[in-house]
Amino acid sequence: MSEKVIVFLHGTNATSWTLDPIRHFFEAEGYTCHSPVYRFHDLPEGEERTQALKGVSIADYVADIAAFIETLEQKPIVIGHSLGGLIGQLLSARELIEAGVLINSSIINGTVPTTEMERALGKMFMSAGPFWEDVPGQDFDLLAAYGLNTMPVEQQHDICDRLGTESGQVLFELFFWMYDVNQTTRIDFTRATAPLLFLSGSEDKVVPPTTAKTMADRYGTRATFIEVPGRCHYMQLEEGREKLAQHCLEWIRAL
């Protein structure tokens, strides 16, 4: 068989640039890499993007990536960050991937917050009105506290300035899976048999290790969970990310 193919899946409010450092590492190692962008995320900020993103679901992103994967000659490995990690799990349940590396994956249906900061974030969304009908952007203070908290302030601003708006429906499905009538993030564990590597930054406040571990444990021996010391939610952009990429490479080579 030819060299393994890797598909990189980005998180909310982002595009593929958030995984470029890891992709460049794997390309240098000779891997064929693809970085698809979720629908409408390549549109510039403005009314067209806002109207296009309203009501868009995680299920739409999964359908788009599934269609892309079906154009490939072999099942790929996915490396997903945040929402991309969740989408990787949903693709596994559709038997479309060989394996998945999940960097601070967003939670799946049935995963309960384990920290007060997670619960506070949920309460904040509750107080924001019907955000699922809107297309929220990034709040710097919130992002700095939850997702970029181990980075220098200058880098925090740089990342926040490059992130965009996101479908409120997507955020609703992420944070309030218990009220989602479509159960969008529910995993069929009888079909999700691909090996998964869960990488969890010890300082991630969005999906802290205590929560990520409960999610990984639901896969039993199919999942490997590793807590990465001193790293935040966007750890693939932090200084020293080469070590993180090397760890991913070693796990993939051992498959």
Side-chain angles (χ1 to χ4, degrees):
M1 178 175 287
S2 61
E3 184 61 88
K4 289 179 169 61
V5 173
I6 300 177
V7 174
F8 290 84
L9 302 175
H10 61 82
T12 61
N13 304 83
T15 59
S16 55
W17 65 268
T18 53
L19 282 163
D20 277 352
I22 307 295
R23 178 174 61 83
H24 294 156
F25 174 90
F26 275 93
E27 286 176 338
E29 292 291 330
Y31 286 80
T32 299
C33 299
H34 301 279
S35 297
V37 175
Y38 307 141
R39 65 175 67 181
F40 309 131
H41 283 59
D42 53 355
L43 292 175
E45 293 299 331
E47 186 62 19
E48 181 185 3
R49 178 184 172 111
T50 297
Q51 293 304 317
L53 281 173
K54 282 186 177 180
V56 171
S57 166
I58 293 171
D60 295 318
Y61 299 164
V62 173
D64 291 345
I65 301 302
F68 172 76
I69 286 175
E70 287 171 355
T71 69
L72 304 176
E73 295 182 356
Q74 64 187 78
K75 286 185 179 181
I77 294 168
V78 297
I79 297 181
H81 170 243
S82 194
L83 172 63
L86 167 59
I87 290 175
Q89 294 181 67
L90 292 167
L91 293 169
S92 174
R94 293 176 65 165
E95 303 176 3
L96 290 175
I97 66 172
E98 179 185 347
V101 176
L102 316 177
I103 301 172
N104 290 322
S105 174
S106 297
I107 62 172
I108 58 175
N109 182 299
T111 307
V112 178
T114 60
T115 69
E116 188 54 42
M117 282 195 74
E118 288 175 279
R119 290 186 282 272
L121 186 60
K123 291 175 183 176
M124 183 211 68
F125 274 109
M126 289 179 189
S127 66
F131 66 90
W132 52 88
E133 298 175 359
D134 202 356
V135 182
Q138 287 287 344
D139 176 84
F140 173 76
D141 291 337
L142 195 66
L143 183 63
Y146 276 86
L148 308 173
N149 44 301
T150 59
M151 292 182 177
V153 173
E154 182 178 353
Q155 187 181 17
Q156 291 177 341
H157 279 285
D158 179 63
I159 291 173
C160 187
D161 289 346
R162 295 183 68 184
L163 295 173
T165 49
E166 182 57 79
S167 163
Q169 178 64 28
V170 165
L171 299 174
F172 173 79
E173 292 164 353
L174 284 177
F175 287 95
F176 299 106
W177 50 262
M178 66 292 295
Y179 301 123
D180 176 15
V181 295
N182 296 315
Q183 296 291 279
T184 309
T185 64
R186 180 180 176 276
I187 299 292
D188 181 352
F189 292 100
T190 65
R191 297 182 64 191
T193 58
L196 300 174
L197 173 62
F198 284 81
L199 296 172
S200 177
S202 69
E203 305 309 309
D204 183 1
K205 306 305 180 185
V206 182
V207 186
T210 48
T211 301
K213 181 68 163 55
T214 67
M215 178 166 50
D217 284 347
R218 298 174 71 184
Y219 290 91
T221 58
R222 290 167 286 176
T224 300
F225 177 84
I226 295 178
E227 182 175 331
V228 184
R231 298 301 182 185
C232 68
H233 190 67
Y234 281 82
M235 61 182 171
Q236 78 277 9
L237 296 176
E238 291 194 81
E239 185 177 349
R241 54 187 171 266
E242 296 81 9
K243 185 176 180 181
L244 178 70
Q246 182 65 37
H247 196 93
C248 297
L249 176 64
E250 292 171 359
W251 184 81
I252 289 171
R253 283 178 171 170
L255 289 172

